[in-house]
Amino acid sequence: SFEMASDSPESLMTLCTDYCLRNLEGTLCYLLDNETLRLHPDIFLPSEICDKLVNEYVELVKTDSIFEPHESFFTLFSDPRSTRLARIHLREQIVQDQDLEAIRKQDLVELYLTNCEKLTAKSLQTLVSFSHTLISLSLFGCCNIFYEEENPGGCEDDCLVNPTRQVLVKDFTFEGFSRLRFLNLGRLIEGVNVETLLRPLASLAALDLSGIQLNDVGFLTQWKDSLVSLVLYNMDLSEEHIQVIAQLRKLRHLDISRDHLSSYYKFKLTRRVLNLFVENLVNLTSLDISGHTMLENCTIPSMEEKMGQTSIEPAKSSIAPFRGLKRPLQFLGLFETSLCRLTHIPAYKVSGDKNEEQVLNAIEAYTEHRPEITSRAINLLFDIARIERCSQLLRALQLVITALKCHKDDKNIQVTGSAALFYLTNSEYRMEQSVKLRHQVIQVVLNGMESYQEVTVQRNCCLTLCNFSIPEELEFQYRRVNELLLNILNQSRQDESIQRIAVHLCNALVCQVDNDHKEAVGKMGFVMTMLKLIQKKLADKTCDQVMEFSWSALWNITDETPDNCEMFLNYSGMKLFLECLKEFPEKQELHRNMLGLLGNVAEVKELRPQLMTSQFISVFSNLLESKADGIEVSYNACGVLSHIMFDGPEAWGICEPHREEVVKRMWAAIQSWDINSRRNINYRSFEPILRLLPQGISPVSQHWATWALYNLVSVYPDKYCPLLIKEGGIPLLKDMIKMASARQETKEMARKVIEHCSNFKEENMDTSR
């Protein structure tokens, strides 16, 4: 009863439904007294649209954490003159007695209530109002629907403690439900008399009594001429049960499977029982005997066993009793039985644990109502994806997505499902996946991170996100994914491996994205979180990947984003910078990241006065001589000082070191660098460098800027020549060459930059002919 995630584009109907549900007030509804949603009076919607609105609403509440449920949603469908409902599927805590009550005037044909634990006996009365039209009804897992609250007679002291008592309703039956054909009472509460409840139903076609223990099922024979489907999952059977089942000659689908872990079963399946079914149930097309132990050997070693050819000719069946079938079964459930490993199984579709096809069939068949079995099947799929190659990748992914969406709060499924997703989305499968499918994976991964603060799930989810191109593929959930990662990093006790992956992801998310994204993430507390991590590592005296990634992430998030630079300074970032430098004098990678970040801070004019202290200037001057990481540390230190020098001598508010002395050291440093150095840096814009060109107050800053441009256009012409031309760098360089204050060697270098760019342009003109 739920769709498989498909890979074709969404239909217009689905897109419109989704849009209307997310914007009820602006589309179908208005707000009455600022709180109650009301349908616009001129709206008339047929059942195709109303059913979809209700079913999608339930799905959204369940799987989209950003979607807000509406108190009065079901009241929109209270009047059959403006809205029609026919087939609806309601799940879990989303639906309460008053919601069903609100739609009681509708002529429902199909009502599936799955695990709706909030429904009480009040809803039984509402069901009666649908009795004249209902054809299909499921009360699966609605464990409180036969309980009503009873007020004890005399109110004594315990009245305050226990004002109501839950009492089982004994007198409800399906009297008057004359059209009901399909009924699912799975996991019905003990104490309800099933026989009395069902007796009024004239001609049942399908009945599901999963998880109910009944010693006497003789009453089933009253439907021997109409019953085509019977599900007795996890019912402990006896010889009497078998004799009754054998009389239901119209059966096409019989499920007597069980969870072999759930409890001790006395019943053992024998060859005789299977023979009895094959002889008597001549219309059988689907049989599920998963989880059963076979008491005696039903198997026939086939002569050509070694050829391993599966055959759909019953006469060749390796399972003896099935040689009597007139034609192969459409479906045969053999999950967790020894029979699924045989050569000749006379069925088109088999659920089992032997190979990928059987395992996928099991996930497909059991997801909705049997999470306990599904999680074990997904675990088998996880092994297949990890060790061998999945041959039905899309189907596997879609089934796991569906299971994770359906059982958001089931720990076993979240653990095994998130682990399977990691292997199913890794690079070797990448080409086979559409954008839509990858979006669906990201959605369920984020749902898992949201609802499960459990280490294994969190780690699996973070690892799975690493299989995506970041930030591109996560851009559509940008805020949410950042919030979740920061939430993980802000937990006081955090697993070391998760922390490392989460910091890596955070860093990747703020690299190469627009400034408004960076500002938004800064406002979420990103800068503060990274500084806290750095502080913790400093206290432990460890410089590991978390420390390096945290500085790298700060470098990325402050790039051309003044607000974040200011936050860095306000949260004592400079203090941490100095402490890290002192504690880890040999860590080159760390120095590069820290200085890259300070380069971003130095680009913000309003913040530069805060860098103007003897201590900082001395540190930057000393780093000019650093050979760490090639030229990177020296280059970045020089960049910071170039911006400070650009503010002129009057901004130099310190006695030590002298401005001239620092300028001298800067010249010496720039002259020591190799112009062909390959770089550990990525410029999205030259704007901060270009602003140092048209000025005479600090020739050394001009020289640093020109050197930076010359190096980048020489080593990476394809990337940086077009950028420099696009941002108007050539006229600025030409003007600078005419300036009297500019040094000769700077002008020489500027000419070479211009030459490089014009050569690049000409070459590209030639190739484009």
Side-chain angles (χ1 to χ4, degrees), residues 574-607:
M574 290 301 287
K575 183 169 162 287
L576 282 179
F577 160 68
L578 293 172
E579 286 172 4
C580 284
L581 217 49
K582 192 164 146 218
E583 184 63 54
F584 309 111
E586 301 308 312
K587 295 285 184 182
Q588 306 199 352
E589 191 69 5
L590 182 71
H591 295 183
R592 173 174 72 95
N593 293 348
M594 295 196 301
L595 276 155
L597 152 70
L598 288 172
N600 290 338
V601 177
E603 286 170 13
V604 185
K605 187 173 174 52
E606 302 70 44
L607 301 179

Short mmCIF file of all heavy atoms in Angstrom, two decimals, residues 574-607:
data_model
loop_
_atom_site.label_atom_id
_atom_site.label_comp_id
_atom_site.label_asym_id
_atom_site.label_seq_id
_atom_site.Cartn_x
_atom_site.Cartn_y
_atom_site.Cartn_z
N MET A 574 41.88 35.36 17.94
CA MET A 574 43.30 35.70 17.86
C MET A 574 44.10 35.07 19.00
O MET A 574 45.24 34.65 18.84
CB MET A 574 43.50 37.23 17.88
CG MET A 574 43.02 37.91 16.62
SD MET A 574 43.84 37.33 15.12
CE MET A 574 45.45 38.08 15.29
N LYS A 575 43.46 35.00 20.17
CA LYS A 575 44.12 34.38 21.34
C LYS A 575 44.42 32.91 21.01
O LYS A 575 45.52 32.41 21.23
CB LYS A 575 43.18 34.51 22.55
CG LYS A 575 43.74 33.97 23.84
CD LYS A 575 42.83 34.42 25.00
CE LYS A 575 43.05 33.58 26.24
NZ LYS A 575 42.50 32.23 26.15
N LEU A 576 43.42 32.24 20.42
CA LEU A 576 43.60 30.82 20.07
C LEU A 576 44.68 30.67 19.01
O LEU A 576 45.47 29.72 19.03
CB LEU A 576 42.29 30.21 19.57
CG LEU A 576 41.26 29.84 20.64
CD1 LEU A 576 40.01 29.28 19.98
CD2 LEU A 576 41.83 28.81 21.60
N PHE A 577 44.71 31.60 18.05
CA PHE A 577 45.73 31.57 17.00
C PHE A 577 47.13 31.58 17.62
O PHE A 577 47.98 30.75 17.30
CB PHE A 577 45.51 32.75 16.05
CG PHE A 577 46.71 33.13 15.22
CD1 PHE A 577 47.17 32.28 14.23
CD2 PHE A 577 47.37 34.34 15.43
CE1 PHE A 577 48.28 32.62 13.45
CE2 PHE A 577 48.48 34.68 14.67
CZ PHE A 577 48.94 33.82 13.68
N LEU A 578 47.35 32.51 18.54
CA LEU A 578 48.68 32.63 19.15
C LEU A 578 49.02 31.39 19.97
O LEU A 578 50.15 30.89 19.94
CB LEU A 578 48.74 33.89 20.04
CG LEU A 578 48.66 35.22 19.27
CD1 LEU A 578 48.52 36.39 20.23
CD2 LEU A 578 49.90 35.42 18.39
N GLU A 579 48.01 30.87 20.69
CA GLU A 579 48.27 29.69 21.52
C GLU A 579 48.62 28.47 20.66
O GLU A 579 49.50 27.69 20.99
CB GLU A 579 47.05 29.38 22.41
CG GLU A 579 46.92 30.37 23.57
CD GLU A 579 45.60 30.20 24.34
OE1 GLU A 579 44.83 29.29 24.02
OE2 GLU A 579 45.37 31.00 25.26
N CYS A 580 47.91 28.32 19.54
CA CYS A 580 48.19 27.18 18.65
C CYS A 580 49.59 27.29 18.04
O CYS A 580 50.31 26.29 17.90
CB CYS A 580 47.16 27.11 17.52
SG CYS A 580 45.57 26.48 18.06
N LEU A 581 49.96 28.52 17.69
CA LEU A 581 51.28 28.75 17.09
C LEU A 581 52.37 28.33 18.08
O LEU A 581 53.36 27.70 17.72
CB LEU A 581 51.41 30.25 16.77
CG LEU A 581 52.13 30.65 15.51
CD1 LEU A 581 51.68 29.88 14.31
CD2 LEU A 581 51.93 32.15 15.26
N LYS A 582 52.12 28.68 19.35
CA LYS A 582 53.11 28.41 20.39
C LYS A 582 53.17 26.91 20.70
O LYS A 582 54.24 26.32 20.85
CB LYS A 582 52.71 29.20 21.64
CG LYS A 582 53.80 29.26 22.69
CD LYS A 582 53.48 30.36 23.70
CE LYS A 582 53.98 29.89 25.06
NZ LYS A 582 53.09 30.27 26.14
N GLU A 583 51.98 26.30 20.76
CA GLU A 583 51.89 24.88 21.17
C GLU A 583 52.38 23.94 20.05
O GLU A 583 52.93 22.88 20.33
CB GLU A 583 50.43 24.56 21.53
CG GLU A 583 50.19 23.17 22.08
CD GLU A 583 50.92 22.92 23.39
OE1 GLU A 583 50.76 23.72 24.34
OE2 GLU A 583 51.68 21.94 23.46
N PHE A 584 52.15 24.36 18.79
CA PHE A 584 52.48 23.45 17.67
C PHE A 584 53.39 24.16 16.66
O PHE A 584 52.98 24.41 15.52
CB PHE A 584 51.20 22.96 16.97
CG PHE A 584 50.18 22.40 17.92
CD1 PHE A 584 48.98 23.07 18.15
CD2 PHE A 584 50.41 21.20 18.59
CE1 PHE A 584 48.03 22.56 19.04
CE2 PHE A 584 49.47 20.68 19.47
CZ PHE A 584 48.28 21.35 19.69
N PRO A 585 54.63 24.47 17.05
CA PRO A 585 55.49 25.27 16.16
C PRO A 585 55.87 24.53 14.87
O PRO A 585 56.20 25.15 13.87
CB PRO A 585 56.74 25.54 17.02
CG PRO A 585 56.70 24.51 18.10
CD PRO A 585 55.27 24.16 18.33
N GLU A 586 55.76 23.19 14.86
CA GLU A 586 56.20 22.43 13.69
C GLU A 586 55.07 22.08 12.71
O GLU A 586 55.31 21.49 11.67
CB GLU A 586 56.87 21.11 14.13
CG GLU A 586 58.10 21.30 15.04
CD GLU A 586 59.12 22.26 14.43
OE1 GLU A 586 59.43 22.08 13.24
OE2 GLU A 586 59.55 23.21 15.13
N LYS A 587 53.82 22.38 13.08
CA LYS A 587 52.69 21.89 12.27
C LYS A 587 52.41 22.83 11.09
O LYS A 587 51.67 23.81 11.20
CB LYS A 587 51.42 21.75 13.13
CG LYS A 587 51.53 20.69 14.20
CD LYS A 587 51.41 19.32 13.58
CE LYS A 587 51.43 18.23 14.65
NZ LYS A 587 51.37 16.89 14.08
N GLN A 588 53.00 22.52 9.94
CA GLN A 588 52.95 23.42 8.80
C GLN A 588 51.54 23.61 8.24
O GLN A 588 51.11 24.72 7.95
CB GLN A 588 53.85 22.87 7.69
CG GLN A 588 55.26 22.61 8.16
CD GLN A 588 56.22 22.50 7.00
OE1 GLN A 588 55.83 22.48 5.84
NE2 GLN A 588 57.50 22.46 7.32
N GLU A 589 50.85 22.49 8.09
CA GLU A 589 49.48 22.50 7.55
C GLU A 589 48.61 23.44 8.39
O GLU A 589 47.82 24.24 7.88
CB GLU A 589 48.98 21.05 7.64
CG GLU A 589 47.72 20.70 6.94
CD GLU A 589 47.80 20.72 5.41
OE1 GLU A 589 48.88 20.91 4.82
OE2 GLU A 589 46.73 20.56 4.83
N LEU A 590 48.79 23.34 9.71
CA LEU A 590 48.01 24.16 10.65
C LEU A 590 48.32 25.64 10.44
O LEU A 590 47.42 26.48 10.36
CB LEU A 590 48.36 23.73 12.08
CG LEU A 590 47.59 24.45 13.19
CD1 LEU A 590 46.15 23.98 13.19
CD2 LEU A 590 48.22 24.17 14.56
N HIS A 591 49.63 25.96 10.34
CA HIS A 591 50.03 27.36 10.16
C HIS A 591 49.41 27.94 8.90
O HIS A 591 48.93 29.08 8.87
CB HIS A 591 51.55 27.48 10.08
CG HIS A 591 52.23 27.09 11.37
ND1 HIS A 591 53.59 27.17 11.56
CD2 HIS A 591 51.74 26.59 12.53
CE1 HIS A 591 53.90 26.75 12.77
NE2 HIS A 591 52.78 26.37 13.38
N ARG A 592 49.43 27.13 7.82
CA ARG A 592 48.88 27.61 6.55
C ARG A 592 47.40 27.96 6.70
O ARG A 592 46.93 29.01 6.27
CB ARG A 592 49.04 26.53 5.48
CG ARG A 592 48.34 26.88 4.18
CD ARG A 592 48.66 25.87 3.11
NE ARG A 592 48.00 24.59 3.35
CZ ARG A 592 46.85 24.24 2.81
NH1 ARG A 592 46.20 25.08 2.04
NH2 ARG A 592 46.32 23.05 3.04
N ASN A 593 46.63 27.04 7.34
CA ASN A 593 45.19 27.28 7.50
C ASN A 593 44.92 28.51 8.36
O ASN A 593 44.04 29.31 8.06
CB ASN A 593 44.52 26.05 8.14
CG ASN A 593 44.54 24.85 7.22
OD1 ASN A 593 44.84 24.99 6.05
ND2 ASN A 593 44.23 23.68 7.74
N MET A 594 45.70 28.67 9.44
CA MET A 594 45.47 29.80 10.35
C MET A 594 45.77 31.12 9.64
O MET A 594 45.03 32.09 9.77
CB MET A 594 46.32 29.65 11.61
CG MET A 594 45.94 28.43 12.45
SD MET A 594 46.58 28.47 14.14
CE MET A 594 48.32 28.55 13.91
N LEU A 595 46.85 31.12 8.87
CA LEU A 595 47.22 32.37 8.20
C LEU A 595 46.29 32.70 7.05
O LEU A 595 46.03 33.86 6.76
CB LEU A 595 48.67 32.32 7.73
CG LEU A 595 49.57 32.72 8.91
CD1 LEU A 595 50.94 32.15 8.75
CD2 LEU A 595 49.62 34.23 9.03
N GLY A 596 45.80 31.65 6.38
CA GLY A 596 44.81 31.90 5.33
C GLY A 596 43.61 32.62 5.91
O GLY A 596 43.10 33.61 5.35
N LEU A 597 43.17 32.17 7.07
CA LEU A 597 42.02 32.77 7.75
C LEU A 597 42.34 34.22 8.14
O LEU A 597 41.53 35.14 7.91
CB LEU A 597 41.69 31.93 9.00
CG LEU A 597 41.05 32.63 10.19
CD1 LEU A 597 39.63 33.02 9.86
CD2 LEU A 597 41.03 31.71 11.39
N LEU A 598 43.55 34.47 8.69
CA LEU A 598 43.88 35.83 9.11
C LEU A 598 44.01 36.76 7.90
O LEU A 598 43.74 37.96 8.00
CB LEU A 598 45.17 35.84 9.93
CG LEU A 598 44.94 35.23 11.32
CD1 LEU A 598 46.22 35.06 12.07
CD2 LEU A 598 43.97 36.08 12.13
N GLY A 599 44.38 36.17 6.75
CA GLY A 599 44.37 36.95 5.51
C GLY A 599 42.98 37.48 5.23
O GLY A 599 42.80 38.65 4.85
N ASN A 600 41.96 36.65 5.44
CA ASN A 600 40.56 37.09 5.22
C ASN A 600 40.18 38.20 6.19
O ASN A 600 39.49 39.15 5.83
CB ASN A 600 39.60 35.91 5.41
CG ASN A 600 39.72 34.88 4.31
OD1 ASN A 600 40.19 35.19 3.22
ND2 ASN A 600 39.30 33.66 4.58
N VAL A 601 40.62 38.07 7.45
CA VAL A 601 40.30 39.10 8.46
C VAL A 601 40.98 40.41 8.06
O VAL A 601 40.36 41.48 8.10
CB VAL A 601 40.77 38.65 9.87
CG1 VAL A 601 40.50 39.75 10.90
CG2 VAL A 601 40.07 37.35 10.29
N ALA A 602 42.24 40.32 7.62
CA ALA A 602 43.00 41.53 7.28
C ALA A 602 42.40 42.27 6.08
O ALA A 602 42.63 43.47 5.90
CB ALA A 602 44.45 41.16 6.97
N GLU A 603 41.62 41.57 5.25
CA GLU A 603 40.99 42.24 4.10
C GLU A 603 39.86 43.18 4.52
O GLU A 603 39.40 43.98 3.73
CB GLU A 603 40.42 41.18 3.13
CG GLU A 603 41.49 40.45 2.33
CD GLU A 603 40.93 39.25 1.58
OE1 GLU A 603 39.68 39.13 1.47
OE2 GLU A 603 41.72 38.42 1.10
N VAL A 604 39.39 43.07 5.77
CA VAL A 604 38.25 43.89 6.23
C VAL A 604 38.78 45.13 6.94
O VAL A 604 39.31 45.04 8.05
CB VAL A 604 37.33 43.08 7.18
CG1 VAL A 604 36.09 43.91 7.54
CG2 VAL A 604 36.93 41.76 6.54
N LYS A 605 38.64 46.28 6.29
CA LYS A 605 39.25 47.53 6.79
C LYS A 605 38.88 47.81 8.24
O LYS A 605 39.72 48.15 9.06
CB LYS A 605 38.82 48.69 5.89
CG LYS A 605 39.53 50.01 6.22
CD LYS A 605 39.19 51.08 5.19
CE LYS A 605 39.75 52.44 5.57
NZ LYS A 605 41.20 52.45 5.89
N GLU A 606 37.59 47.64 8.58
CA GLU A 606 37.12 47.99 9.94
C GLU A 606 37.75 47.10 11.02
O GLU A 606 37.80 47.47 12.18
CB GLU A 606 35.59 47.84 10.07
CG GLU A 606 34.74 48.66 9.12
CD GLU A 606 34.84 48.18 7.67
OE1 GLU A 606 34.78 46.94 7.45
OE2 GLU A 606 34.99 49.04 6.79
N LEU A 607 38.20 45.91 10.63
CA LEU A 607 38.73 44.99 11.63
C LEU A 607 40.25 45.09 11.79
O LEU A 607 40.81 44.61 12.77
CB LEU A 607 38.36 43.53 11.26
CG LEU A 607 36.86 43.23 11.14
CD1 LEU A 607 36.64 41.76 10.75
CD2 LEU A 607 36.11 43.52 12.45
#
